[in-house]
Amino acid sequence: MIHNRMRMALGLTTALMSVGTLAAAEEMPPEQSLSGLEYELIGRGDIYAHGSLGSYSQAPMLDAMVASGALPPVEDRLPAEPIVFKTGAMVDGIGEYGGVFRHVIGGRPEGWNWMAGQHQGWGGINMAMQECLVRQGPRWQVKAEDQTGPLPNLAQSWSWNDTNTELTINLMQGVKWSDGDAFDVEDVRFWYEDNVQNENIASRMAKDSFGGGAAMEVIDDYTFKFVFASPQAETIVENLAYIQGCPGPSHILKASHPDYADGATYDGYTQALPNDVLPPVVLGAWVPVVHRPDELVIMRRNPYYFKVDESGQQLPYFNEMHFRLSTWGDRTAQAVAGTGDFSNMEDPGNYVEALKQSQDDASPVRANFGPRVLAWRLTLNLDAAGAEDEGEKALRMLFRELDFRKALSHALDRDAIGQALARGPFAYPYVGGFATGSPYYDAASSVFTPYDQAGAMALLDGLDVTDTDGDGVRNLPGGGDNVVISVEVGDNANADRKQLEAIASQLEEIGIRINIRTVDQTTADTNFTGGAFTAVMGRENVILPTRESCRSWPAGPSCPHFNDGGDRLPFEEEMAAKLAAFQSTSDAEEQAALARDLQRIATENVYTIGSVQVPAALLVNKRIKNAHPGTPVFMYEWAEDGVIRERLWTPAAMQEEEVLPDTIAEY
Ligand code: GLA
Ligand code: CA
């Protein structure tokens, strides 16, 4: 399969390379997909549903703890109606308990307080700890007619009033945190009112970005509602999925929150759960119990996890989960070598080699290509009023000029950038807006501002951005300073850096200088979400308008992060209205039309400077069962969510030895 696809893929090289010779066409060149897998789509209720079973059982390692009284019996730890995973949707069926799932990641846990925006190192560790009100990842497998809105999770069900201005949410009853404390509406209220809506806290959902600042009303311990200023629809509920709608333990966090604790500061609150104090209290399937900096995080099963299989076995199947703290490149190398179990292959630089190795029958790993969902862009900060000095302000004023953004886009030879990343037909031009793998992408609505150096230079001349002092770099209008743009790039992202280097040399050719600023991933993330940058080169997977929307769209008063001062360009106002309309309808055709409008406005205004987009391949070790081969690296969410890890398992004979057998997190 893979072998054939690779051969087909490599045959395309010449066809693709000739694309660069197209004249300054405004239409996207034809795209060739590399994804060849076919599988059946199922109904949303076929994956899992809330319900109660007659009896429950648990991982054998927990039996002794229950017998000694250290843990309550499994039926007392589970909610009244746990989430039940359907056997029919499991490609290998009901699992066996035990063993280790081995992740390798390039990130480092910043801390455990995700409510204050801290990440835990990415690569699936955040998601292994956090559970959110609703779930998006598994939707890649859901058939079109069932696609409206997210899948339930902690929010068991919800309903609308007649005018669609009130959304009433029923939480699961009897879910417990990993320390045994009850999860209830107070955790959700604390998340929304005291974190999201508190502008001093950098929560992942920006203040007032959920339905224009929906108000929350608590009804009882397990029921609450959001009241919106205007009618909404199922789509808006998608905002309550990972990474935005994931409550933290209010019973722990209030002790450090300024609204609850005398003398507490916001800085102190953000740092309240430092990465060297374990175990944190979570709702996820596994709990971090060991963190050796730059080496390893070990997680152990959460005995209070609220999901089961149809035979009543409490999930997850794996007792232990490892996150080796390495590099993203090493994640792929280890998956190929069989010393890691999973990788989102996302650096095209190692695609050919990794695929060649995984074709071998003896290879420990399976590889599957999906659609193009990894898209890189140069993002310019458009917030001129928020600039900290005059020089920065002058630059951002220039960024606000459409002709300047167009000039930068015309300066980019995207075929050369793609070939610098990897030889072969992997890269396709990215013009901003939705990636081509998005269900909302439309080629005809994508305005392409293609490679055209002469055109780029004419636009710059027209803006009076010329080299007034003859040093080879164009100057700001009126003979100002040289146009030197500082661009941040993460220190652990090979593909980002390679593209930025190519872009810098291409911009040099039209007289614009790039000053590459390498920063660590956590700093890059904090700077980006805080709007503290001149320009950023990075990957943004724009697939849905409702996922991490503040990164790409004018989704709230302080969005996007690259124009967070509220001084919107006229087309941004137009986009904000389209986005609001998108979220407030469930009509798929209306949504598709609105998405086309968003795509057209974003691309004709060169909102961001797109570079290239590539498909990604998912690598999963062959001993891992229930990893559906159709799982995309990214679609509604990253593969770590889409593959449903709580349901993965390995036959006992093939299990890796646990480092901390027979233990759970102790509080
Ligand atoms: C990082 C990785 C992705 C994915 C996500 C999950 O961004 O690069 O492949 O694992 O983390 O959050
Ligand atoms: Ca100059």
Side-chain angles (χ1 to χ4, degrees):
M1 222 5 203
I2 288 171
H3 184 72
N4 288 341
R5 239 177 294 144
M6 269 302 291
R7 214 171 34 209
M8 172 199 82
L10 296 174
L12 290 170
T13 315
T14 25
L16 205 100
M17 284 181 63
S18 62
V19 164
T21 59
L22 283 178
E26 301 270 301
E27 253 172 52
M28 295 299 289
E31 188 192 4
Q32 183 70 50
S33 169
L34 297 186
S35 116
L37 204 67
E38 290 193 2
Y39 51 87
E40 214 186 312
L41 297 177
I42 57 181
R44 57 168 57 220
D46 295 338
I47 305 175
Y48 63 81
H50 294 81
S52 77
L53 300 174
S55 66
Y56 299 100
S57 58
Q58 63 188 0
M61 62 156 278
L62 298 176
D63 290 345
M65 296 178 199
V66 172
S68 77
L71 267 185
V74 63
E75 51 278 5
D76 297 345
R77 302 194 310 267
L78 285 168
E81 295 183 18
I83 286 179
V84 183
F85 280 89
K86 306 282 174 78
T87 315
M90 297 180 174
V91 286
D92 299 303
I94 289 193
E96 292 173 35
Y97 281 120
V100 182
F101 189 89
R102 303 162 306 167
H103 279 285
V104 175
I105 59 175
R108 299 291 180 272
E110 186 182 9
W112 313 121
N113 192 2
W114 65 86
M115 297 267 275
Q118 284 191 322
H119 69 81
Q120 290 74 57
W122 309 110
I125 177 166
N126 303 11
M127 288 177 216
M129 307 171 55
Q130 300 178 30
E131 288 284 335
C132 313
L133 290 168
V134 297
R135 189 167 189 178
Q136 287 279 81
R139 279 182 64 188
W140 63 267
Q141 205 184 351
V142 174
K143 57 189 177 199
E145 57 269 39
D146 256 5
Q147 272 298 8
T148 309
L151 303 174
N153 197 48
L154 291 167
Q156 179 159 346
S157 60
W158 52 88
S159 58
W160 295 88
N161 66 348
D162 290 346
T163 51
N164 272 32
T165 53
E166 294 187 8
L167 168 67
T168 301
I169 296 184
N170 305 304
L171 294 172
M172 291 182 72
Q173 303 197 10
V175 169
K176 294 186 170 68
W177 291 93
S178 55
D179 63 351
D181 197 83
F183 163 80
D184 60 23
V185 79
E186 178 57 11
D187 293 306
V188 180
R189 192 206 58 75
F190 179 70
W191 156 74
Y192 190 69
E193 290 186 349
D194 299 331
N195 287 271
V196 172
Q197 291 299 84
N198 184 330
E199 63 203 350
N200 301 305
I201 296 172
S203 51
R204 291 279 164 182
M205 183 187 271
K207 180 177 191 294
D208 285 338
S209 69
F210 182 48
M216 177 182 280
E217 284 176 24
V218 168
I219 297 170
D220 62 33
D221 278 357
Y222 296 106
T223 321
F224 65 99
K225 66 182 176 187
F226 283 113
V227 180
F228 301 97
S230 59
Q232 301 296 330
E234 285 298 292
T235 315
I236 203 168
V237 189
E238 293 176 2
N239 287 286
L240 303 179
Y242 178 84
I243 189 173
Q244 301 190 135
C246 320
S250 65
H251 65 292
I252 304 284
L253 285 169
K254 280 181 184 171
S256 320
H257 191 295
D259 288 354
Y260 297 86
D262 282 346
T265 63
Y266 283 106
D267 256 3
Y269 176 67
T270 302
Q271 309 298 333
L273 305 175
N275 66 16
D276 58 352
V277 178
L278 291 89
V281 172
V282 305
L283 288 174
W286 296 273
V287 189
V289 292
V290 170
H291 174 204
R292 289 187 221 123
D294 290 325
E295 203 188 312
L296 182 67
V297 172
I298 301 177
M299 299 175 92
R300 293 288 298 171
R301 63 176 316 116
N302 172 2
Y304 290 94
Y305 198 52
F306 54 96
K307 307 186 184 181
V308 300
D309 67 23
E310 278 186 311
S311 75
Q313 297 190 96
Q314 185 188 30
L315 298 176
Y317 294 122
F318 281 111
N319 284 337
E320 197 166 287
M321 190 169 262
H322 291 179
F323 285 88
R324 239 166 285 158
L325 306 177
S326 181
T327 62
W328 296 115
D330 191 39
R331 174 171 68 170
T332 292
Q334 295 218 32
V336 170
T339 52
D341 289 324
F342 179 98
S343 182
N344 297 333
M345 210 165 67
E346 58 194 2
D347 178 0
N350 54 32
Y351 280 11
V352 174
E353 190 50 36
L355 286 174
K356 240 194 272 163
Q357 293 191 27
S358 60
Q359 278 167 38
D360 193 326
D361 281 347
S363 161
V365 75
R366 251 190 319 261
N368 287 314
F369 257 116
R372 282 191 182 76
V373 289
L374 305 179
W376 282 267
R377 70 184 195 208
L378 177 65
T379 304
L380 305 175
N381 197 325
L382 305 176
D383 179 24
E388 62 274 19
D389 59 56
E390 287 307 309
E392 178 71 14
K393 181 171 181 174
L395 263 184
R396 294 190 189 178
M397 290 299 288
L398 195 55
F399 297 167
R400 290 171 71 89
E401 297 284 347
L402 173 58
D403 280 353
F404 185 76
R405 300 193 301 277
K406 272 191 176 164
L408 295 199
S409 182
H410 276 313
L412 301 190
D413 177 351
R414 293 173 173 83
D415 298 311
I417 298 172
Q419 293 305 310
L421 269 186
R423 292 249 147 233
F426 301 109
Y428 179 75
Y430 177 53
V431 294
F434 300 105
T436 64
S438 162
Y440 297 110
Y441 174 75
D442 176 47
S445 307
S446 302
V447 178
F448 191 23
T449 310
Y451 188 41
D452 173 10
Q453 277 192 341
M457 301 215 247
L459 286 169
L460 293 174
D461 291 347
L463 288 166
D464 190 26
V465 177
T466 55
D467 183 14
T468 46
D469 52 7
D471 64 356
V473 182
R474 289 174 186 264
N475 295 66
L476 285 163
D481 291 343
N482 277 343
V483 178
V484 180
I485 307 174
S486 279
V487 183
E488 274 189 14
V489 67
D491 62 358
N492 59 355
N494 198 21
D496 303 24
R497 191 179 179 90
K498 261 199 219 155
Q499 287 179 71
L500 183 55
E501 281 165 2
I503 288 172
S505 76
Q506 293 175 6
L507 292 181
E508 189 82 29
E509 289 177 32
I510 61 158
I512 301 291
R513 179 151 298 163
I514 295 298
N515 175 9
I516 299 183
R517 286 194 53 218
T518 307
V519 292
D520 67 82
Q521 190 180 10
T522 297
T523 306
D525 188 52
T526 308
N527 287 353
F528 183 67
T529 55
F533 62 91
T534 303
V536 172
M537 177 70 206
R539 188 192 64 209
E540 292 291 342
N541 315 321
V542 187
I543 305 296
L544 300 186
T546 47
R547 183 184 177 275
E548 296 189 47
S549 36
C550 200
R551 297 184 78 90
S552 300
W553 311 104
S558 55
C559 299
H561 299 309
F562 53 91
N563 192 11
D564 62 4
D567 186 11
R568 284 186 178 161
L569 293 159
F571 75 86
E572 291 185 281
E573 294 295 356
E574 223 187 308
M575 288 176 87
K578 300 278 183 197
L579 193 69
F582 182 98
Q583 301 207 81
S584 55
T585 177
S586 301
D587 181 319
E589 281 184 23
E590 205 178 319
Q591 285 189 330
L594 287 160
R596 286 195 294 273
D597 291 347
L598 280 169
Q599 181 71 2
R600 183 184 42 75
I601 303 169
T603 57
E604 78 193 357
N605 288 289
V606 197
Y607 199 21
T608 59
I609 319 293
S611 175
V612 298
Q613 49 191 326
V614 303
L618 183 62
L619 303 179
V620 184
N621 193 288
K622 288 175 183 165
R623 71 188 181 89
I624 305 294
K625 303 295 175 194
N626 275 352
H628 193 297
T631 311
V633 165
F634 188 93
M635 185 50 70
Y636 291 87
E637 192 39 81
W638 285 105
E640 291 91 336
D641 189 28
V643 79
I644 314 183
R645 288 174 300 171
E646 60 268 39
R647 193 182 76 161
L648 299 178
W649 58 280
T650 293
M654 295 163 95
Q655 288 174 2
E656 291 284 320
E657 214 173 300
E658 297 167 38
V659 175
L660 299 169
D662 303 319
T663 63
I664 53 170
E666 277 181 43
Y667 296 97

